[in-house]
Amino acid sequence: MVELSKATVVNCPQCGEVIVWSQSSKFRPFCSERCKLLDLGQWANGTYRIPEEEPSSLDEHQED
């Protein structure tokens, strides 16, 4: 018999509630559908953004 180690717990990225990371956590990494949808809305509204990298001066010269 294999003994399982402690369950992994994470904080919901939206509200910070501690949740167990497992197959039974339907909305992981979020604690609920509400938090999942709030996060999605923030992406849709542009609240979250992935920053663009500015081209280095070397890259600019190679395009010419």
Side-chain angles (χ1 to χ4, degrees):
M1 183 166 132
V2 177
E3 187 175 351
L4 298 176
S5 62
K6 286 185 172 182
T8 302
V9 294
V10 297
N11 291 0
C12 173
Q14 189 64 37
C15 72
E17 181 178 334
V18 176
I19 59 168
V20 176
W21 186 276
S22 69
Q23 291 291 328
S24 64
S25 302
K26 184 176 177 181
F27 302 107
R28 68 177 180 236
F30 303 99
C31 65
S32 65
E33 184 174 24
R34 179 182 181 276
C35 281
K36 178 180 161 184
L37 292 174
L38 285 170
D39 188 77
L40 179 61
Q42 288 174 319
W43 279 103
N45 289 333
T47 303
Y48 298 147
R49 290 190 207 118
I50 299 173
E52 280 188 61
E53 289 186 29
E54 304 243 351
S56 70
S57 59
L58 181 61
D59 292 337
E60 290 174 4
H61 295 291
Q62 290 178 350
E63 291 178 9
D64 294 335

